[in-house]
Amino acid sequence: MSEMNLVQAINAALRQEMRRNPDVVVLGEDVGKVGGVFRVTQGLWEEFGDERVIDTPLAEGGIIGTAIGMALYGLRPVPEIQFADFIYPAFDQIVSEAAKYRYRSGGEYPCPITIRTPVGGGIRGGHYHSQSPEALFIHTPGLKVVCPSNPYDAKGLLVSSIRDDDPVLFFEPKRVYRAVKMEVPDEEYTIPLGVAKIVRPGDHVTVIAWGAMLYEALASADEVAAEGISCEVIDLRTLWPVDIDTLVQSVQKTGRFVVVHEAPKSCGYGAELVSLLTEKCFLRLEAPPVRVTGWDTPFPYTLENEYLPLQHRIVPALRETARY
Amino acid sequence: MVQTSSIDTPRRPTPAPGQHDDDVVTVIGPDGQANPATDPRLGVEMERRLYTAMVRTRIVDQQLERLQRQGRIGFHIGSLGEEACILGSVAAFREQDWIFPCYREFGALLWRGMPLQRYVDNMYGNANDPVKGRQMPDHYTGRPYRFGSVSSPIGTQITQAVGFGWAARLRRDPIAVGVYFGDGATSSNDFHTGMNFAGVFRAPVVFLLRNNRWAISVPVERQSASRTLADKGIAYGVRAVRCDGNDALATYAVVREAVERAARGEGPTLVEMLTYRLGGHSTSDDPRAYRAQDEVEAWRRTDPLVRMRRRLEALGAWSEADEQRWRAEVEAELRACIETAERTPPPALSSMFDDVYAQRPWHLREQAESCERGPRARAHGHGGGH
Ligand SMILES: Cc1ncc(C[n+]2csc(CCOP(=O)(O)OP(=O)(O)O)c2C)c(N)n1
Ligand SMILES: [Mg+2]
């Protein structure tokens, strides 16, 4: 066991998988000598050298396109996109290519790449260093989407993602990169993709969150607990394919639920979760489902805390849902 | 299994700082004398204007960096060492021409006429910020000065500048468009597409490539295996020239010629300005983690401000007293701007919902109302991007 933050846990997972499997390579902008702008790949270049920890030219389409080619050859590339906001030059390669390779080749060509990228606000990065684009990728059949909230999960989920035979988008909540520390086993372990975690059991309202917003959801659950509202807080961990059983069970118990995410509301992932749970738990619902999300504007700079769905906006939503 | 092999790419030899191949245009010699064959002959007044603008840029840069360290602003991305290529190039455009910026050219924005106060307001993201506090510091806009809007994603402005210039050509307006970007951006899709379109449609564009040798921690040798970045012009049928980007007069000379050609309908030019990023990539970066200090020190000895000052002194057009007076003037002006910016409130809450569309649709009216009626967040923090 070692105490680690999210950055260190992800680094440990990469190091472990690179030691274990010589086919694992890391490529991206600034991932080499400097170890990434958030230092997530620090020390890997020194240990594994320039051919496995690769600083690329500045072209995201090139990074993902070549990672796909490497995967087709048999490697296990783990490309990094420096900020999720800069993933769009690679969108074509991810959406048209990686996501469809297995299907379009009749199963002949799997495409096992794991695209790591930091997401979310809270670092005063304005719209180009703060966005949460998960819904775009969840909407694309063929991609798996993961977003850990803590170091233990991050290590276990990244290992599973790298070993998974399908393309995975691995979103890292940069707001809590260094804020959350916990004991993480030094030895190998995996956390299966597609399994959510009930982080706080409760009876009255189900709260669904992931990544950095999980902590806002938990703080909000604490705040309303004093008023006698008992929340069941679920950390999705894998956004897609989602752990529908855990969600349905919880909503069958509580009859009420709130989804929290940073991305804009309209067509955000919350919309899909509300639809799914309405379809599956319609007769059990006792209150309209509520989404606490970013507003439908680009992510602002100065007013970012007014934009984010933080505790001050979650708490009233919990109260209203509980008392509906 | 990855095999070890050696990859043989034809690289240009790395030049010593300040040393250039014959095709690189220079004007100011080590003694401060101008090379008569390349001297654009700007006259003393214009040369003083250029120099004083470079000094002002440097002073503002250094002060903003201090403010960031003190936690008074969230972020700054500076131009330390690149003042000659930024000011020398922007000065070569005429009033009717347009500039599409990258993010490191606030010196060009001020040259085009943006009041320093508005730029400092942008650094604070306050109610007077031209972008209404919506973007990070150094992401300004300056339409009244025929200056575009800064975006973070690398390279996107390049194709847009080509379209802008192309549109002017379709309307028979004899203007030129300058577009700034870095050596890293030459790897972006938009660089290649922009060059290609500009070549095919003879767009009146001057591609202002600030080759400062680094893209955050990645050296220029990792961006391209071609002999020079200017060589890329050949493949696209775009005229390309190289200049000493630490020589304001050389930069002016080559860009001016490119501007005139473009405006006359003679097509685009790629100008590779050879310079060096003396500071970190931004206030979020510590370059000691990836580059040798002697490399930086060697380039520091080619400081473009020292070079230009030597030139003015050789002409008898600048003295230590002038220097002191000018610095004091800029520092006082900047101090006043900072005080004003710090007294200015943040943008109004409801402004967050403006400008998403020309008019607010129902859903944004609803959301703005719910935001304004709802509880307020705690104070705003500081951070930064890259
Ligand atoms: C599409 C995209 N990818 C990555 C980044 C992150 N990033 C910001 S600046 C930069 C380096 C740019 O280098 P260069 O083009 O040489 O310009 P310089 O900063 O040296 O002026 C990178 C990788 C970005 N802003 N946009
Ligand atoms: Mg550069």
Side-chain angles (χ1 to χ4, degrees):
Chain A
M1 288 286 203
S2 311
E3 194 185 65
M4 288 185 195
N5 61 30
L6 210 71
V7 167
Q8 293 163 324
I10 296 167
N11 181 276
L14 288 168
R15 191 184 299 272
Q16 175 198 296
E17 288 306 284
M18 292 186 82
R19 284 182 183 164
R20 184 178 161 274
N21 179 356
D23 284 337
V24 176
V25 296
V26 164
L27 66 162
E29 294 154 12
D30 304 286
V31 299
K33 191 167 183 181
V34 76
V37 299
F38 289 103
R39 303 296 183 265
V40 175
T41 56
Q42 198 159 45
L44 300 180
W45 182 79
E46 286 81 350
E47 179 169 348
F48 301 103
D50 216 35
E51 294 197 345
R52 291 184 66 199
V53 184
I54 308 160
D55 271 336
T56 65
L58 204 171
E60 287 73 12
I63 294 168
I64 302 301
T66 55
I68 291 172
M70 290 178 178
L72 300 180
Y73 192 77
L75 302 190
R76 289 268 157 173
V78 189
E80 173 182 299
I81 299 295
Q82 198 163 87
F83 284 82
D85 312 75
F86 304 138
I87 206 164
Y88 302 106
F91 201 60
D92 197 23
Q93 285 290 344
I94 298 171
V95 167
S96 308
E97 301 297 318
K100 297 174 175 62
Y101 241 110
R102 180 187 293 280
Y103 195 80
R104 81 167 195 226
S105 65
E108 219 173 61
Y109 283 108
C111 185
I113 63 172
T114 300
I115 303 171
R116 294 182 35 250
T117 188
V119 292
I123 65 151
R124 293 267 282 173
H127 25 268
Y128 299 117
H129 298 82
S130 305
Q131 296 168 90
S132 297
E134 65 274 354
L136 300 173
F137 299 98
I138 293 169
H139 189 61
T140 302
L143 301 176
K144 294 184 177 176
V145 182
V146 174
C147 184
S149 66
N150 65 64
Y152 178 84
D153 287 354
K155 185 177 173 196
L157 287 167
L158 183 54
V159 171
S160 295
S161 300
I162 294 172
R163 297 184 190 176
D164 197 272
D165 289 330
D166 286 312
V168 178
L169 270 291
F170 192 86
F171 289 134
E172 301 170 2
K174 58 176 149 344
R175 177 191 174 90
V176 293
Y177 255 155
R178 291 174 190 278
V180 189
K181 292 194 183 100
M182 66 199 295
E183 291 293 318
V184 175
D186 296 318
E187 55 273 16
E188 268 189 36
Y189 64 94
T190 57
I191 293 175
L193 303 187
V195 182
K197 187 171 166 196
I198 298 171
V199 280
R200 176 189 174 113
D203 303 314
H204 301 143
V205 183
T206 299
V207 188
I208 305 168
W210 58 88
M213 288 305 105
L214 179 75
Y215 300 96
E216 297 294 321
L218 284 170
S220 306
D222 276 345
E223 190 176 334
V224 298
E227 302 159 22
I229 302 171
S230 158
C231 294
E232 177 145 298
V233 181
I234 299 180
D235 180 357
L236 285 186
R237 306 199 293 187
T238 298
L239 308 190
W240 199 257
V242 73
D243 181 357
I244 193 69
D245 295 343
T246 299
L247 294 182
V248 167
Q249 254 168 38
S250 177
V251 174
Q252 289 293 359
K253 175 172 71 175
T254 60
R256 301 161 198 266
F257 72 97
V258 172
V259 185
V260 181
H261 64 62
E262 295 184 32
K265 182 176 185 181
S266 300
C267 279
Y269 186 35
E272 182 58 36
L273 292 169
V274 167
S275 305
L276 275 174
L277 291 170
T278 307
E279 283 163 12
K280 294 187 187 282
C281 309
F282 186 69
L283 294 176
R284 178 66 188 90
L285 289 182
E286 291 171 35
V290 173
R291 291 171 282 168
V292 187
T293 68
W295 308 109
D296 286 342
T297 73
F299 197 106
Y301 174 71
T302 305
L303 298 172
E304 83 164 334
N305 286 346
E306 300 290 357
Y307 178 87
L308 286 167
L310 304 180
Q311 191 176 345
H312 67 284
R313 287 176 54 206
I314 301 172
V315 165
L318 296 180
R319 285 191 191 123
E320 273 169 44
T321 305
R323 291 179 192 145
Y324 187 84
Chain B
M1 177 77 209
V2 175
Q3 298 294 325
T4 306
S5 65
S6 74
I7 299 163
D8 197 20
T9 45
R11 292 202 191 293
R12 62 192 175 287
T14 305
Q19 302 295 304
H20 297 297
D21 301 339
D22 289 345
D23 67 312
V24 176
V25 176
T26 62
V27 171
I28 309 172
D31 51 358
Q33 299 298 325
N35 175 350
T38 50
D39 184 0
R41 298 188 167 76
L42 298 185
V44 170
E45 254 339 284
M46 180 65 170
E47 290 189 19
R48 278 170 67 116
R49 257 192 85 199
L50 260 179
Y51 175 67
T52 51
M54 288 162 61
V55 172
R56 188 174 183 231
T57 305
R58 170 85 47 105
I59 292 172
V60 171
D61 249 329
Q62 289 173 332
Q63 182 60 16
L64 291 175
E65 196 153 309
R66 251 175 264 134
L67 293 179
Q68 195 278 338
R69 299 276 179 255
Q70 295 164 2
R72 288 157 73 185
I73 58 174
F75 175 82
H76 176 52
I77 186 155
S79 46
L80 194 71
E82 299 181 49
E83 297 89 348
C85 90
I86 292 168
L87 274 305
S89 56
V90 73
F93 286 84
R94 307 155 312 163
E95 202 188 333
Q96 64 269 37
D97 300 323
W98 287 73
I99 302 294
F100 276 63
C102 172
Y103 43 65
R104 215 183 275 292
E105 300 95 11
F106 77 85
L109 176 65
L110 298 178
W111 179 275
R112 293 292 292 185
M114 169 83 105
L116 182 60
Q117 182 67 60
R118 300 310 301 283
Y119 170 60
V120 174
D121 288 330
N122 173 255
M123 297 306 297
Y124 281 86
N126 65 27
N128 292 333
D129 170 9
V131 307
K132 306 179 186 174
R134 292 181 188 142
Q135 289 218 72
M136 286 173 70
D138 283 311
H139 289 60
Y140 27 76
T141 185
R143 188 167 188 134
Y145 318 103
R146 297 195 173 86
F147 194 95
S149 143
V150 176
S151 162
S152 308
I154 294 293
T156 48
Q157 74 278 21
I158 302 174
T159 41
Q160 296 161 10
V162 172
F164 196 92
W166 184 7
R169 191 168 151 77
L170 294 177
R171 283 202 187 154
R172 307 287 181 266
D173 294 330
I175 63 153
V177 180
V179 57
Y180 286 100
F181 54 94
D183 43 297
T186 63
S187 298
S188 71
N189 297 346
D190 282 296
F191 170 75
H192 295 281
T193 311
M195 291 281 288
N196 194 34
F197 274 55
V200 171
F201 298 107
R202 298 182 70 72
V205 174
V206 185
F207 295 92
L208 301 166
L209 162 49
R210 285 183 295 96
N211 180 355
N212 64 10
R213 304 198 61 80
W214 290 91
I216 310 186
S217 76
V218 180
V220 63
E221 290 77 15
R222 197 36 91 88
Q223 295 298 341
S224 178
S226 64
R227 192 184 57 92
T228 73
L229 296 179
D231 277 0
K232 291 169 190 290
I234 299 167
Y236 294 110
V238 171
R239 177 177 171 265
V241 289
R242 294 204 291 163
C243 70
D244 182 337
N246 281 7
D247 177 339
L249 298 185
T251 305
Y252 183 99
V254 298
V255 175
R256 183 68 189 199
E257 191 190 349
V259 166
E260 285 168 2
R261 291 174 66 106
R264 283 198 304 263
E266 290 165 28
T269 303
L270 167 62
V271 182
E272 181 181 0
M273 305 181 286
L274 299 168
T275 181
Y276 190 80
R277 196 195 77 209
L278 278 179
H281 169 73
S282 72
T283 50
S284 309
D285 178 45
D286 179 2
R288 286 171 305 185
Y290 53 81
R291 69 181 185 187
Q293 204 46 39
D294 9 326
E295 176 186 307
V296 182
E297 288 314 319
W299 277 95
R300 211 181 286 286
R301 288 192 288 278
T302 72
D303 189 325
L305 268 61
V306 174
R307 180 123 167 231
M308 190 66 198
R309 180 173 172 176
R310 207 177 289 141
R311 156 78 182 157
L312 289 177
E313 284 171 351
L315 289 175
W318 196 252
S319 66
E320 181 56 26
D322 290 328
E323 182 82 15
Q324 296 304 331
R325 204 175 316 116
W326 177 241
R327 285 182 172 268
E329 203 177 303
V330 173
E331 279 159 16
E333 180 197 16
L334 181 56
R335 208 173 312 120
C337 291
I338 292 167
E339 277 168 23
T340 304
E342 292 189 345
R343 276 199 314 270
T344 306
L349 187 60
S350 106
S351 76
M352 186 159 61
F353 299 90
D354 293 334
D355 301 323
V356 182
Y357 302 96
Q359 271 94 37
R360 270 188 205 176
W362 69 267
H363 71 289
L364 285 179
R365 288 200 301 272
E366 212 176 275
Q367 289 185 20
E369 205 184 296
S370 135
C371 176
E372 286 183 87
R373 258 194 294 103
R376 289 286 65 79
R378 284 185 305 253
H380 310 291
H382 276 312
H386 274 83

